Amino acid sequence: MRAAEIQNELTEVLVTEEQILAKLDEVAAQVALDYAGKNLLLVGVLKGAIMVMADFSRALPTVVPMDWMAVSSYGAGTKSSGVVQIRKDLDEDLHDRDVLIIEDIIDSGLTLSWLLENFESRGAKSVEVFALLRKPDAAKVQVDCKYVGFDIPNEFVVGYGLDYAERYRNLRDVAILAPHVYS
């Protein structure tokens, strides 16, 4: 589904699918160089990172294992609660692994900050982050992010894995959700 098909539910398209795919190719090439010869594990943060992980991993020129973790600090709202809940833990042991967390978006940074500390406490050799989207104006904590796709305004966005109440994840573009949809 493209944004044009539901334009009455959106206010503005911020990033198109074409821009996303070009950025994923660019970041994948850099990651392949940075992690050449290393024991890399991609960790996707469910559910939002599904689209990013799928397209990013396919853009990588090497075989790289993946694992998933589901954490939440949103519920059905549009603002982070700041309380992180683990909904699905990792299957892989992180000890002595180079971990690249794949995130759809960095908003407040609270969830990601918690994940970084959690993964380091599990003995990961290194932990870095690739976030497709980042909202610099929404940050409540500073989080080092080695790879960033796009900086976007502090608006409630949907698409490319991002949802509102489990809707809009399949939107191919990233767009601002119209307030009348969630008010």
Side-chain angles (χ1 to χ4, degrees), residues 9-89:
E9 298 174 45
L10 309 170
T11 61
E12 180 184 353
V13 173
L14 297 177
V15 189
T16 66
E17 177 184 34
E18 294 77 15
Q19 291 170 310
I20 292 168
L21 294 175
K23 182 60 74 173
L24 292 177
D25 285 343
E26 176 187 318
V27 173
Q30 187 60 54
V31 166
L33 287 173
D34 293 349
Y35 288 92
K38 294 187 177 179
N39 190 16
L40 179 61
L41 174 67
L42 302 180
V43 174
V45 182
L46 292 170
K47 297 178 188 174
I50 287 174
M51 306 300 185
V52 180
M53 177 73 103
D55 289 340
F56 175 72
S57 65
R58 286 191 300 244
L60 287 168
T62 58
V63 175
V64 179
M66 295 179 229
D67 200 354
W68 297 92
M69 187 165 193
V71 294
S72 178
S73 65
Y74 278 83
T78 60
K79 300 275 188 216
S80 174
S81 69
V83 177
V84 178
Q85 299 173 327
I86 296 176
R87 299 184 185 267
K88 184 228 174 274
D89 207 346

Side-chain angles (χ1 to χ4, degrees), residues 16-166:
T16 66
E17 177 184 34
E18 294 77 15
Q19 291 170 310
I20 292 168
L21 294 175
K23 182 60 74 173
L24 292 177
D25 285 343
E26 176 187 318
V27 173
Q30 187 60 54
V31 166
L33 287 173
D34 293 349
Y35 288 92
K38 294 187 177 179
N39 190 16
L40 179 61
L41 174 67
L42 302 180
V43 174
V45 182
L46 292 170
K47 297 178 188 174
I50 287 174
M51 306 300 185
V52 180
M53 177 73 103
D55 289 340
F56 175 72
S57 65
R58 286 191 300 244
L60 287 168
T62 58
V63 175
V64 179
M66 295 179 229
D67 200 354
W68 297 92
M69 187 165 193
V71 294
S72 178
S73 65
Y74 278 83
T78 60
K79 300 275 188 216
S80 174
S81 69
V83 177
V84 178
Q85 299 173 327
I86 296 176
R87 299 184 185 267
K88 184 228 174 274
D89 207 346
L90 297 171
D91 296 323
E92 294 284 324
D93 181 7
L94 298 185
H95 184 74
D96 226 18
R97 302 289 297 267
D98 293 299
V99 176
L100 181 59
I101 298 171
I102 308 298
E103 268 280 27
D104 52 352
I105 191 166
I106 299 175
D107 198 329
S108 68
L110 295 170
T111 301
L112 188 54
S113 175
W114 182 89
L115 272 177
L116 289 165
E117 288 179 22
N118 183 281
F119 288 6
E120 288 170 7
S121 74
R122 295 181 191 206
K125 184 175 183 180
S126 69
V127 183
E128 297 291 351
V129 177
F130 166 43
L132 179 64
L133 305 168
R134 177 176 61 185
K135 294 181 183 177
D137 294 339
K140 292 183 179 172
V141 295
Q142 181 63 36
V143 176
D144 291 327
C145 189
K146 188 168 185 175
Y147 310 98
V148 176
F150 304 93
D151 282 332
I152 62 171
N154 189 15
E155 299 285 345
F156 191 75
V157 295
V158 294
Y160 206 76
L162 295 156
D163 76 303
Y164 169 66
E166 294 301 324

